[in-house]
Amino acid sequence: MNINLPPDQQAFVESLVASGRFASTDEVIGECVQLLISREQLREQVQIGIEQADAGDLIDHDMMFADLRTRAAEFQHASSGQ
């Protein structure tokens, strides 16, 4: 696959490699694609949430925070080995 970037983007990619942050331009592009995948997955999840809210399928914030506290306590208990 050949990728042609505008000069400013190409210079940025090259500076990341030159700085040692990435080993190669392929690694930089791979990271970019992974970030794009993550962004699209987040966009899909947000859309699902919007559709649920529009349908009235909401969770009361008190119930949500109670559930989070319970999960945190369970996690803390499990991680302490008890």
Side-chain angles (χ1 to χ4, degrees):
M1 173 187 309
N2 292 324
I3 299 173
N4 295 311
L5 298 173
D8 61 323
Q9 292 178 2
Q10 184 173 346
F12 179 69
V13 168
E14 290 169 354
S15 73
L16 290 172
V17 174
S19 73
R21 170 80 171 83
F22 292 90
S24 67
T25 57
D26 288 344
E27 192 175 307
V28 176
I29 299 303
E31 178 79 11
C32 293
V33 171
Q34 187 57 49
L35 287 169
L36 184 57
I37 290 168
S38 295
R39 186 175 82 179
E40 290 304 310
Q41 289 171 340
L42 178 60
R43 185 186 317 268
E44 290 171 10
Q45 292 298 313
V46 168
Q47 185 59 42
I48 289 169
I50 291 169
E51 290 168 5
Q52 289 172 335
D54 288 346
D57 186 14
L58 302 170
I59 298 173
D60 177 80
H61 74 282
D62 290 331
M63 290 175 54
M64 181 191 67
F65 281 110
D67 181 53
L68 289 173
R69 284 186 196 95
T70 301
R71 289 181 189 205
E74 290 171 354
F75 177 76
Q76 186 175 20
H77 180 74
S79 65
S80 68
Q82 298 177 359

